[in-house]
Amino acid sequence: MNFWTDRRVAVTGGAGFLGRSVMRKLRERGCLQVYAPRSRDHDLREQEAVKRMYERARPDLVIHLAGSVGGIGANQRYPGRFFYDNLMMGAHLLEQARRFDVPKFVGIGSVCAYPKATPVPFREENLWDGYPEETNAAYGLAKKMMLVQGQAYRAEFGFNAIHLLLSNLYGPGDNLDPETSHGLASMVRKFVDARNQGHDHVTLWGDGSPTREFLYVEDAAEGILLASELYDLPEPINLGSGVEISISDLASKIRNLSGFAGRVRWDRNRPNGQPRRCVDVTRARKHFGFEAATTLDEGLQKMISWYEKQPPRE
């Protein structure tokens, strides 16, 4: 608790899906000086806007959560936008943090940075063994450059930047926009809507064979704050649940938990994405005692219950 009491913290993306959980946990820890820049006031892709943010916040710690993100479809439609936005935000925020002598920078990366054929479970030392899966390579590589920049600044300037590689997140408050949502959120929306509207089937992308790992958003926020407090080394660290599940099995879980009685159809003309994903969580457990506390069934039930309470979409 003492770590956070008098610390000035800047949280980019503080109004977003993960950011809201991080902000809530900061308040619970007694952190009273938190600044969460909004995009309407600070376009973090612009160097001058980032300078103004640092002048206003004067942080002791930066947690960089902001990003241009989406599921497979959005990554295919906007690879240039995702690359540029994420690259520029990371580069400007790190450079100005160095210039403003910020004591610590926490960069949030992605499992998408791992090579397409990484052996499961993904270990941090495998991060540079190949090129990422094509449908999200632009996003993954832009995030990966933040790791490179942070390590370079540590080597030349002694700047304390750490880098966390997050697994796929989910939970109440997730993005459910059909154009940009991730796969799990899209499934929740589709199954609940199909149940409510009396449909006899739901169509999902791919063939159901890929595997994924999912981290409940509150658990991710807890891991980020633990790393912010306790981890100060240059090597990246995975944050995940360590539990692998196929997309077809995930669909069955959501179908059953939502009470949908119809069939699942797989659209094999749509991409599967990376064949397998699941990270090794040993390093996070060793260095700052992080373990995911929420099982997938628990998290899915909370997410479905949350979505059922949302007003009908237009």
Side-chain angles (χ1 to χ4, degrees), residues 59-77:
D60 305 306
L61 173 70
V62 175
I63 302 175
H64 175 36
L65 308 176
S68 292
V69 300
I72 291 178
N75 273 277
Q76 287 185 308
R77 284 191 295 275

Side-chain angles (χ1 to χ4, degrees), residues 1-12 22-37 53-63 102 225:
M1 296 294 289
N2 290 338
F3 176 88
W4 297 102
T5 303
D6 299 319
R7 204 163 298 268
R8 296 173 62 88
V9 181
V11 181
T12 71
V22 169
M23 296 287 283
R24 183 164 53 251
K25 285 186 176 291
L26 283 170
R27 291 192 294 269
E28 291 170 357
R29 282 165 160 79
C31 186
L32 303 177
Q33 302 179 83
V34 183
Y35 183 66
M53 187 274 284
Y54 279 113
E55 288 168 353
R56 181 171 180 178
R58 295 288 173 178
D60 305 306
L61 173 70
V62 175
I63 302 175
V102 175
L225 295 194

Side-chain angles (χ1 to χ4, degrees), residues 26 28 77 79 121 150 169 192 195 200 218 230 257 275 277:
L26 283 170
E28 291 170 357
R77 284 191 295 275
L169 303 185
V192 173
R195 180 201 68 194
D200 65 355
E218 293 290 331
L230 299 171
L257 289 169
R277 274 189 197 164

Side-chain angles (χ1 to χ4, degrees), residues 219-263:
D219 291 342
E222 182 66 22
I224 289 167
L225 295 194
L226 285 171
S228 299
E229 182 175 352
L230 299 171
Y231 187 67
D232 292 298
L233 298 176
E235 293 80 14
I237 283 205
N238 293 326
L239 282 187
S241 65
V243 178
E244 184 180 18
I245 184 172
S246 72
I247 296 300
S248 61
D249 286 346
L250 175 68
S252 294
K253 276 184 179 292
I254 297 174
R255 175 181 176 273
N256 294 335
L257 289 169
S258 66
F260 175 65
R263 294 174 290 112

Side-chain angles (χ1 to χ4, degrees), residues 44 75 83 96 109 111 116 118 121 123 139 148-149 178 263 282:
L44 300 178
N75 273 277
F83 181 81
Q96 295 306 317
V111 68
K116 180 176 182 177
T118 307
R123 293 180 172 85
Y139 169 77
V148 175
Q149 186 178 1
R263 294 174 290 112
T282 304

